[in-house]
Amino acid sequence: MTSEDAGARKRRRLSRSGEFERVYREGSSHANRFLVVYSFPRSEDADEDSRLGVSVGRKVGGAVERNRVKRMLREAFWSAAAELPDGHDFVVVARPAAAELAAEGGEQALEQSLRDVLASAGLTQEKAT
């Protein structure tokens, strides 16, 4: 990943509590044992890229473990982002079992779990490249 990619991804993040609240309140949620995914279509920015927020609570583990899970979830999300609709805000919430999954299966296991939730929500779509 180049620094240009990192800058673009940083701009595609939810950072303010109001943005998270809007996704929680007005969006739809889908979950499995490891993750909860909230999605909210932004009507005013329908042609813009998706934005991501990640929430990992203390039940997942200490600060080091939580940051590791957050980093892995961000990478997993951006790997699956090509299949997601544009103009949506997403918040991924890690449940306590996500730490076990990350420790045992790594980023690939988290990515598969995330893809499963997104598919069950009907959010994935194949984009022509």
Side-chain angles (χ1 to χ4, degrees):
M1 173 170 56
T2 66
S3 61
E4 226 173 82
D5 292 339
R9 287 185 182 172
K10 194 162 201 141
R11 285 189 298 274
R12 293 174 17 198
R13 285 191 191 170
L14 300 177
S15 57
R16 295 184 175 96
S17 62
E19 295 171 337
F20 277 83
E21 282 298 318
R22 186 182 67 184
V23 175
Y24 288 139
R25 239 176 256 203
E26 299 177 27
S28 60
S29 67
H30 300 278
N32 64 12
R33 180 176 169 219
F34 307 105
L35 304 170
V36 181
V37 176
Y38 293 86
S39 64
F40 175 70
R42 296 185 324 264
S43 59
E44 72 275 0
D45 300 329
D47 57 341
E48 289 189 16
D49 290 333
S50 298
R51 297 188 306 172
L52 172 66
V54 178
S55 175
V56 180
R58 287 189 195 153
K59 289 184 179 182
V60 172
V64 172
E65 182 67 20
R66 290 195 311 268
N67 287 328
R68 186 166 137 317
V69 170
K70 279 193 270 190
R71 187 175 57 250
M72 293 170 107
L73 281 173
R74 281 190 201 107
E75 288 301 318
F77 180 85
W78 294 120
S79 294
E83 303 164 14
L84 297 174
D86 289 336
H88 277 65
D89 286 344
F90 293 93
V91 175
V92 178
V93 180
R95 290 183 165 172
E100 287 177 37
L101 183 65
E104 293 171 8
E107 185 181 325
Q108 292 80 19
L110 279 176
E111 183 176 341
Q112 186 56 51
S113 181
L114 180 61
R115 285 180 185 270
D116 291 345
V117 174
L118 293 170
S120 71
L123 292 169
T124 56
Q125 61 186 19
E126 290 299 321
K127 288 190 176 182
T129 55

